[in-house]
Structure formats: structure tokens, C-alpha cells
Amino acid sequence: MKTPNTPAKAIPASAALNDQNYLELASSMINAESLTGPVPVDPDIADAMGAFSEDALSADDALDSHFDGIDPTADAEDSNHG
């Protein structure tokens, strides 16, 4: 006797989704579902969709940007001219 969840035929390996194909398919489904309102998204799918890309400055770059255009040796040079 066959159980209800057993497929009638074995699925060939070539028909299986790899990770990349799965993420592309899932992200397209999220895009389609989002037309009607907010949709919860798995973090892996959101990452594949670019939700977690970080384009902000690092903490060091942000600190350095405060001194753009300022010569840190300017005060020392002026004091040498007496």
C-alpha cells in the first residue's frame, strides 16, 4: 500500500532545484505577493534579494570624514614661522 505523501515516480536529479534556483524562484514569489501588501520573508531569501547589503561608511571612515580638507599639520607649520 502506498502512503499519501510518497510520489508515484522518483524525481530525476536534474529536476531538483539548486540553492540559487530556489532563491531566485522564492524572491520572484515574494515580489508577486508583495503587490497586495506586506509579506514576511525568510532571512536567507531577503539576503539573496539584497535586503542586507551595507553601503554605509565604516566607523573609521565616518570619523575620518570629519577631518576632510583639514591639514592636521597646519597649526604646527604656523607656529614655526614665529
Side-chain angles (χ1 to χ4, degrees):
M1 178 177 225
K2 187 173 124 182
T3 59
N5 293 329
T6 305
K9 295 182 181 180
I11 298 173
S14 62
L17 289 174
N18 63 25
D19 288 343
Q20 183 63 31
N21 290 341
Y22 168 76
L23 292 172
E24 288 173 5
L25 181 62
S27 66
S28 67
M29 294 304 299
I30 296 296
N31 287 336
E33 288 293 318
S34 68
L35 297 174
T36 59
V39 178
V41 179
D42 179 86
D44 291 332
I45 297 169
D47 187 35
M49 295 173 73
F52 300 115
S53 64
E54 183 60 54
D55 296 333
L57 294 173
S58 69
D60 290 337
D61 289 340
L63 181 61
D64 288 344
S65 72
H66 286 285
F67 304 105
D68 285 349
I70 298 174
D71 183 3
T73 62
D75 291 335
E77 289 175 1
D78 289 339
S79 64
N80 290 337
H81 290 55

